[in-house]
Amino acid sequence: MTAFAPVVWGTTYVVTTELLPPGHPLFAGLMRALPAGLIALAITRTLPRGTWWLKATALGVLNIGMFFPLLFLAAERLPGGVAATLGAAQPLLVAALAVAVLRQSPSAWRFAWGIVGIVGVGLVVIGPAAGFDSVGVLAGLGGAATMALGVTLTKKWGRPAEVGPTAFAAWQLTAGGVFLVPVTFLLEGAPPAIDLNAALGYLWLGLIGGLLAYVLWFRGITSLPVTSVAVLGLLSPMVAAVLGAALLGQALGPVQLVGFALALASIVAGQITPKAKREGAVR
């Protein structure tokens, strides 16, 4: 169920390019976060208490508010394949943060398969005309680092025992959306005109790609090993590539198919604990 979130996020590129008005990526991020958060708050009627006001705000800004602008900046300054490959560095960053923040033992298995995943995604989405821009590269790596830290802190802090995953997602979506309001209107100005196609796109991004996906994502983070959750993020650029081939006529050749195999192997391996490590834990 956790994998559903990055699968849905993989539809964002097609929805954005085919349904949404161009030139307003931050407004799309705002529409994905804030309405979903407010709807979830209205359903759950649960607000943070005590230190959770600060924790929920920090997680919302990291996972939503900062991640979206960096993601969209990278997408604007870099070819989509390069941006996706930079984002695929997140499992490696999470593996490193798990050692530093969660005090987990270093895992050569996780690091090795994280590198395989980056290579696989790169083969799938980077074309021969890929270019590099220093600002875009920094934004892409910054977005991966921001979400990696948010995922790790979500695992470290967990969620209050009396709070369900929907309320927990509501806090973060709302906090991230509120953070995005001034950023969006400062950088993009007035919102665009919204026709029927745009309305359908925003509904998909907000209700499915926002509310439902993040409820399942944060639920998975609190109940699964953090490195296993992070590697599932590789599904997003892979789904985007498949949809590009199926709906937009973007062909997938032999190199892309090899990349798919490597990325899938990395995702599967990320859910497995090596036998020797399991036996050591039992002893």
Side-chain angles (χ1 to χ4, degrees):
M1 293 182 70
T2 305
F4 177 83
V7 167
V8 170
W9 296 336
T11 69
T12 301
Y13 176 77
V14 170
V15 171
T16 300
T17 57
E18 300 303 308
L19 297 180
L20 302 187
H24 291 81
L26 292 179
F27 182 76
L30 175 61
M31 292 296 289
R32 177 179 171 182
L34 189 55
L38 294 176
I39 290 171
L41 281 179
I43 293 172
T44 60
R45 298 184 181 182
T46 303
L47 294 176
R49 295 181 181 179
T51 59
W52 270 105
W53 280 102
L54 291 177
K55 290 180 179 179
T57 299
L59 293 177
V61 169
L62 287 170
N63 288 320
I64 308 294
M66 292 182 65
F67 173 67
F68 283 176
L70 290 171
L71 173 68
F72 291 132
L73 179 59
E76 288 182 353
R77 300 293 293 258
L78 296 170
V82 178
T85 304
L86 292 173
Q90 183 192 330
L92 285 179
L93 297 175
V94 169
L97 288 170
V99 175
V101 177
L102 304 180
R103 306 300 181 187
Q104 295 181 1
S105 300
S107 174
W109 174 270
R110 305 287 189 195
F111 279 102
W113 281 108
I115 293 173
V116 171
I118 292 177
V119 172
V121 170
L123 292 176
V124 171
V125 297
I126 292 184
F132 294 89
D133 173 87
S134 58
V135 175
V137 169
L138 289 175
L141 292 175
T146 296
M147 192 168 185
L149 180 57
V151 167
T152 305
L153 289 178
T154 302
K155 183 65 176 180
K156 179 179 177 64
W157 292 335
R159 70 172 187 263
E162 71 279 5
V163 174
T166 302
F168 193 57
W171 298 350
Q172 297 190 49
L173 287 166
T174 303
V178 170
F179 175 85
L180 273 173
V181 169
V183 175
T184 299
F185 288 97
L186 178 64
L187 297 180
E188 293 185 353
I194 299 176
D195 58 15
L196 179 59
N197 284 341
L200 293 175
Y202 289 132
L203 283 174
W204 174 263
L205 290 176
L207 296 182
I208 308 301
L211 181 56
L212 179 58
Y214 276 104
V215 167
L216 295 175
W217 183 248
F218 292 134
R219 175 182 176 273
I221 293 173
T222 57
S223 58
L224 297 172
V226 66
T227 48
S228 296
V229 173
V231 78
L232 292 176
L234 298 177
L235 288 168
S236 183
M238 294 172 64
V239 169
V242 170
L243 291 177
L247 302 179
L248 304 180
Q250 300 169 353
L252 295 177
V255 173
Q256 284 76 29
L257 295 178
V258 170
F260 263 103
L262 291 175
L264 286 174
S266 175
I267 292 170
V268 173
Q271 314 309 311
I272 298 173
T273 301
K275 182 178 179 181
K277 189 170 183 179
R278 289 198 306 267
E279 291 176 349
V282 171
R283 293 172 186 167

